[in-house]
């Protein structure tokens, strides 16, 4: 069974950094993963795309995180989100998302809290 396992959330002061990690577990080849991304959902708000990366390495970012966050993939089944210069408004539950053979998968979410 395919699962997305996230790690790296936590509490950080404004201006600090965190790195989120997500691994696709199960009998999956990296070539089966078409797209990976990080979404976030703050209390009372809709889930929004933070950053995405497709299989050829092309990335896209929400305007609110451009220049501060970096998404990357390794040669296996993991995706990372390096978050720098964190702001209070980055506080949210962050979800890993992958499209595997056209089928969307979600992680359980990891809390990121930025104190002002």
């Amino acid at each position: 069974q395919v699962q997305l396992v996230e790690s790296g959330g936590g509490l950080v002061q404004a201006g600090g950094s965190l790195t989120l990690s997500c691994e696709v577990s199960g009998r999956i080849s990296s070539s089966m993963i078409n797209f990976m991304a990080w979404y976030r959902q703050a209390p009372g708000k809709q889930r929004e795309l933070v950053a995405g990366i497709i299989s050829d390495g092309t990335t896209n970012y929400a305007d609110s995180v451009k220049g501060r966050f970096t998404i990357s993939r390794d040669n296996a089944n993991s995706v990372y989100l390096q978050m720098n210069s964190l702001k209070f408004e980055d506080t949210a539950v962050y979800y890993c998302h992958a499209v595997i053979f056209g089928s969307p998968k979600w992680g359980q979410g990891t809390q990121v809290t930025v104190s002002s």
Side-chain angles (χ1 to χ4, degrees):
Q1 184 175 354
V2 176
Q3 288 186 318
L4 274 58
V5 181
E6 299 142 335
S7 61
L11 173 65
V12 64
Q13 287 188 331
S17 299
L18 279 176
T19 300
L20 304 183
S21 301
C22 172
E23 180 181 6
V24 179
S25 66
R27 301 174 70 87
I28 295 293
S29 166
S30 61
S31 61
M32 300 177 181
I33 304 173
N34 311 112
F35 175 72
M36 298 190 82
W38 289 94
Y39 284 73
R40 68 186 180 187
Q41 188 166 19
K45 295 188 177 181
Q46 289 188 329
R47 190 173 297 189
E48 62 174 356
L49 175 68
V50 176
I53 184 167
I54 60 176
S55 54
D56 68 355
T58 301
T59 59
N60 67 297
Y61 296 91
D63 288 343
S64 59
V65 307
K66 282 181 181 176
R68 300 188 298 121
F69 291 11
T70 303
I71 189 170
S72 61
R73 270 187 71 177
D74 62 11
N75 292 326
N77 297 339
S78 294
V79 65
Y80 307 93
L81 186 67
Q82 174 67 44
M83 305 185 292
N84 298 325
S85 302
L86 282 160
K87 303 176 180 180
F88 176 75
E89 50 265 40
D90 294 320
T91 296
V93 178
Y94 284 70
Y95 296 90
C96 180
H97 172 70
V99 177
I100 302 171
F101 267 163
S103 176
K105 304 289 184 185
W106 291 92
Q108 78 283 359
T110 185
Q111 177 70 45
V112 172
T113 302
V114 184
S115 62
S116 58

